Short mmCIF file of all heavy atoms in Angstrom, two decimals:
data_model
loop_
_atom_site.label_atom_id
_atom_site.label_comp_id
_atom_site.label_asym_id
_atom_site.label_seq_id
_atom_site.Cartn_x
_atom_site.Cartn_y
_atom_site.Cartn_z
N TRP A 1355 36.34 58.15 -47.25
CA TRP A 1355 35.11 58.52 -47.94
C TRP A 1355 33.97 57.57 -47.55
O TRP A 1355 34.12 56.36 -47.60
CB TRP A 1355 35.27 58.45 -49.45
CG TRP A 1355 36.08 59.54 -50.00
CD1 TRP A 1355 37.33 59.45 -50.49
CD2 TRP A 1355 35.72 60.92 -50.08
NE1 TRP A 1355 37.78 60.67 -50.94
CE2 TRP A 1355 36.78 61.60 -50.70
CE3 TRP A 1355 34.57 61.63 -49.79
CZ2 TRP A 1355 36.76 62.96 -50.93
CZ3 TRP A 1355 34.54 62.99 -50.03
CH2 TRP A 1355 35.61 63.61 -50.62
N GLY A 1356 32.85 58.14 -47.22
CA GLY A 1356 31.66 57.35 -46.86
C GLY A 1356 31.59 56.94 -45.39
O GLY A 1356 30.61 56.44 -44.95
N HIS A 1374 34.21 53.87 -48.89
CA HIS A 1374 34.39 53.67 -50.32
C HIS A 1374 35.87 53.80 -50.64
O HIS A 1374 36.44 54.85 -50.39
CB HIS A 1374 33.63 54.70 -51.13
CG HIS A 1374 32.18 54.58 -51.10
ND1 HIS A 1374 31.46 53.62 -51.77
CD2 HIS A 1374 31.20 55.32 -50.46
CE1 HIS A 1374 30.21 53.71 -51.53
NE2 HIS A 1374 30.00 54.77 -50.78
N VAL A 1377 37.07 56.44 -55.98
CA VAL A 1377 36.81 57.91 -56.11
C VAL A 1377 35.45 58.11 -56.69
O VAL A 1377 34.85 57.22 -57.33
CB VAL A 1377 37.87 58.56 -57.00
CG1 VAL A 1377 39.23 58.49 -56.41
CG2 VAL A 1377 37.85 57.99 -58.40
N TYR A 1378 34.88 59.29 -56.48
CA TYR A 1378 33.55 59.57 -57.03
C TYR A 1378 33.74 60.14 -58.42
O TYR A 1378 34.47 61.13 -58.61
CB TYR A 1378 32.77 60.58 -56.15
CG TYR A 1378 31.30 60.60 -56.52
CD1 TYR A 1378 30.48 59.58 -56.19
CD2 TYR A 1378 30.82 61.70 -57.27
CE1 TYR A 1378 29.16 59.62 -56.59
CE2 TYR A 1378 29.48 61.72 -57.61
CZ TYR A 1378 28.64 60.66 -57.26
OH TYR A 1378 27.35 60.69 -57.67
N GLN A 1379 33.13 59.52 -59.43
CA GLN A 1379 33.21 59.99 -60.80
C GLN A 1379 31.95 60.77 -61.12
O GLN A 1379 30.84 60.30 -60.93
CB GLN A 1379 33.32 58.77 -61.73
CG GLN A 1379 34.62 58.03 -61.51
CD GLN A 1379 34.72 56.76 -62.35
OE1 GLN A 1379 33.73 56.17 -62.69
NE2 GLN A 1379 35.93 56.44 -62.71
N PHE A 1380 32.12 62.04 -61.57
CA PHE A 1380 31.02 62.92 -61.87
C PHE A 1380 30.34 62.75 -63.16
O PHE A 1380 29.58 63.55 -63.58
CB PHE A 1380 31.48 64.36 -61.64
CG PHE A 1380 31.72 64.68 -60.19
CD1 PHE A 1380 32.96 64.67 -59.66
CD2 PHE A 1380 30.63 64.98 -59.39
CE1 PHE A 1380 33.15 64.96 -58.32
CE2 PHE A 1380 30.79 65.24 -58.03
CZ PHE A 1380 32.04 65.27 -57.54
N GLU A 1389 27.11 59.48 -62.87
CA GLU A 1389 27.82 59.82 -61.65
C GLU A 1389 27.74 58.64 -60.70
O GLU A 1389 26.62 58.14 -60.48
CB GLU A 1389 27.18 61.05 -61.02
CG GLU A 1389 27.38 62.30 -61.80
CD GLU A 1389 26.96 63.55 -61.06
OE1 GLU A 1389 26.67 63.48 -59.85
OE2 GLU A 1389 26.94 64.59 -61.70
N SER A 1390 28.87 58.22 -60.16
CA SER A 1390 28.87 57.10 -59.26
C SER A 1390 30.26 56.89 -58.66
O SER A 1390 31.23 57.50 -59.11
CB SER A 1390 28.45 55.79 -59.95
OG SER A 1390 29.40 55.49 -60.97
N TRP A 1391 30.36 56.04 -57.62
CA TRP A 1391 31.66 55.65 -57.04
C TRP A 1391 32.31 54.69 -57.98
O TRP A 1391 31.68 53.78 -58.52
CB TRP A 1391 31.44 55.01 -55.66
CG TRP A 1391 31.05 56.00 -54.61
CD1 TRP A 1391 29.80 56.22 -54.11
CD2 TRP A 1391 31.91 56.88 -53.92
NE1 TRP A 1391 29.82 57.21 -53.15
CE2 TRP A 1391 31.11 57.60 -53.02
CE3 TRP A 1391 33.28 57.13 -53.97
CZ2 TRP A 1391 31.68 58.60 -52.20
CZ3 TRP A 1391 33.82 58.08 -53.12
CH2 TRP A 1391 33.02 58.80 -52.26
N ARG A 1395 29.87 51.67 -58.22
CA ARG A 1395 28.86 52.26 -59.09
C ARG A 1395 27.58 52.69 -58.38
O ARG A 1395 26.52 52.71 -58.97
CB ARG A 1395 28.54 51.32 -60.26
CG ARG A 1395 29.72 51.00 -61.11
CD ARG A 1395 30.22 52.24 -61.82
NE ARG A 1395 31.38 51.89 -62.63
CZ ARG A 1395 32.39 52.72 -62.77
NH1 ARG A 1395 32.40 53.91 -62.23
NH2 ARG A 1395 33.41 52.39 -63.51
N GLN A 1396 27.68 53.04 -57.09
CA GLN A 1396 26.55 53.49 -56.34
C GLN A 1396 26.55 55.03 -56.28
O GLN A 1396 27.55 55.63 -56.52
CB GLN A 1396 26.57 52.89 -54.89
CG GLN A 1396 26.44 51.40 -54.86
CD GLN A 1396 25.11 50.90 -55.40
OE1 GLN A 1396 24.06 51.44 -55.08
NE2 GLN A 1396 25.18 49.91 -56.23
N PRO A 1397 25.38 55.64 -55.95
CA PRO A 1397 25.31 57.11 -55.86
C PRO A 1397 26.13 57.65 -54.69
O PRO A 1397 26.48 56.89 -53.79
CB PRO A 1397 23.84 57.40 -55.71
CG PRO A 1397 23.22 56.12 -55.22
CD PRO A 1397 24.09 55.02 -55.74
N TRP A 1398 26.33 58.98 -54.66
CA TRP A 1398 27.14 59.70 -53.67
C TRP A 1398 26.75 59.32 -52.24
O TRP A 1398 27.58 59.08 -51.38
CB TRP A 1398 27.01 61.19 -53.90
CG TRP A 1398 27.70 61.99 -52.83
CD1 TRP A 1398 27.11 62.60 -51.77
CD2 TRP A 1398 29.09 62.24 -52.72
NE1 TRP A 1398 28.06 63.25 -51.02
CE2 TRP A 1398 29.28 63.03 -51.56
CE3 TRP A 1398 30.21 61.86 -53.45
CZ2 TRP A 1398 30.53 63.47 -51.14
CZ3 TRP A 1398 31.44 62.31 -53.08
CH2 TRP A 1398 31.59 63.08 -51.90
N ASP A 1399 25.45 59.32 -51.95
CA ASP A 1399 24.99 59.14 -50.54
C ASP A 1399 24.85 57.68 -50.14
O ASP A 1399 24.28 57.41 -49.08
CB ASP A 1399 23.72 59.92 -50.30
CG ASP A 1399 22.61 59.52 -51.25
OD1 ASP A 1399 22.86 58.69 -52.21
OD2 ASP A 1399 21.47 60.04 -51.10
N SER A 1400 25.35 56.76 -50.91
CA SER A 1400 25.22 55.32 -50.55
C SER A 1400 26.19 55.01 -49.41
O SER A 1400 27.22 55.64 -49.23
CB SER A 1400 25.50 54.45 -51.74
OG SER A 1400 26.86 54.55 -52.15
N ALA A 1401 25.84 53.96 -48.64
CA ALA A 1401 26.75 53.49 -47.59
C ALA A 1401 27.99 52.93 -48.25
O ALA A 1401 27.99 52.45 -49.39
CB ALA A 1401 26.03 52.39 -46.78
N GLY A 1402 29.10 52.95 -47.50
CA GLY A 1402 30.37 52.43 -48.00
C GLY A 1402 30.25 50.95 -48.41
O GLY A 1402 29.46 50.20 -47.89
#
Side-chain angles (χ1 to χ4, degrees):
W1355 287 108
H1374 291 287
V1377 296
Y1378 193 75
Q1379 297 176 329
F1380 287 98
E1389 291 188 10
S1390 64
W1391 287 101
R1395 299 294 179 216
Q1396 296 297 314
W1398 174 260
D1399 56 355
S1400 66

